[in-house]
Amino acid sequence: MLSIGVVESVYGDKAVVSLMRHSACGDCGACQMGAENMQRSVEALNPLGAKVGNRVTMEMADETVLQAAFIVYVIPLLILIAGMFLTVYALNYFNISEYVELYGFLVGLIGMAISFLIIRKREKKLTASGALRISIVQINEEDDTTCLKRI
């Protein structure tokens, strides 16, 4: 996935880049863009030596974006559904028939909330390990409107 931004600061082999959020971007947390503000700053590897004020194209591997989307969206949904069905099955097994669906839904929600907490905790480790790596792949001209071409 490619994004365009402007370098705010540089330190060592990394740069802080201000960019606009994509409409397709979700809350995976890789670039800290889950907030309502459409402009965010992200830390990116700076192998090209971009300087403050440069307009740059950054890339995050497509596999990484898909993996992050799966973790954030699909796993909690599966836990919600599994919690609902397992609770309904267990309550029916013990001949409890009142509010079975409500209890199933509540247990599913609690499971989903716990999965979000676990994912959030693991996100910090993934970011620190470089698994959610964002790199500057091109320094663009100021008037370059075609800078989203794949390099």
Side-chain angles (χ1 to χ4, degrees), residues 14-146:
K14 295 182 181 169
V16 176
V17 182
S18 173
L19 58 115
M20 293 296 287
R21 177 176 160 174
H22 286 173
S23 60
C25 191
D27 297 324
C28 73
C31 55
Q32 305 296 316
M33 293 186 164
E36 291 182 21
N37 186 358
M38 294 299 281
Q39 188 164 352
R40 286 304 219 190
S41 295
V42 298
E43 183 180 85
L45 295 176
N46 186 13
L48 303 179
K51 295 178 177 39
V52 174
N54 285 141
R55 186 175 161 133
V56 296
T57 301
M58 299 177 304
E59 181 175 36
M60 184 176 195
D62 291 339
E63 314 79 55
T64 305
V65 173
L66 290 173
Q67 179 184 10
F70 178 82
I71 290 169
V72 170
Y73 294 115
V74 177
I75 290 176
L77 179 64
L78 291 175
I79 290 174
L80 170 71
I81 293 169
M84 290 171 51
F85 282 113
L86 290 174
T87 301
V88 169
Y89 176 76
L91 292 176
N92 284 332
Y93 181 79
F94 292 112
N95 293 322
I96 299 171
S97 60
E98 255 185 73
Y99 305 113
V100 173
E101 292 83 8
L102 177 64
Y103 293 138
F105 180 68
L106 291 175
V107 169
L109 279 179
I110 291 169
M112 187 172 71
I114 291 169
S115 74
F116 279 128
L117 292 173
I118 292 169
I119 289 168
R120 182 72 175 163
K121 187 174 183 178
R122 296 277 303 151
E123 172 199 0
K124 293 175 185 174
K125 291 179 183 177
L126 286 172
T127 303
S129 73
L132 301 175
R133 182 174 302 140
I134 300 172
S135 294
I136 295 174
V137 294
Q138 180 178 349
I139 300 174
N140 306 315
E141 299 294 324
E142 288 301 317
D143 60 348
D144 186 4
T145 58
T146 63

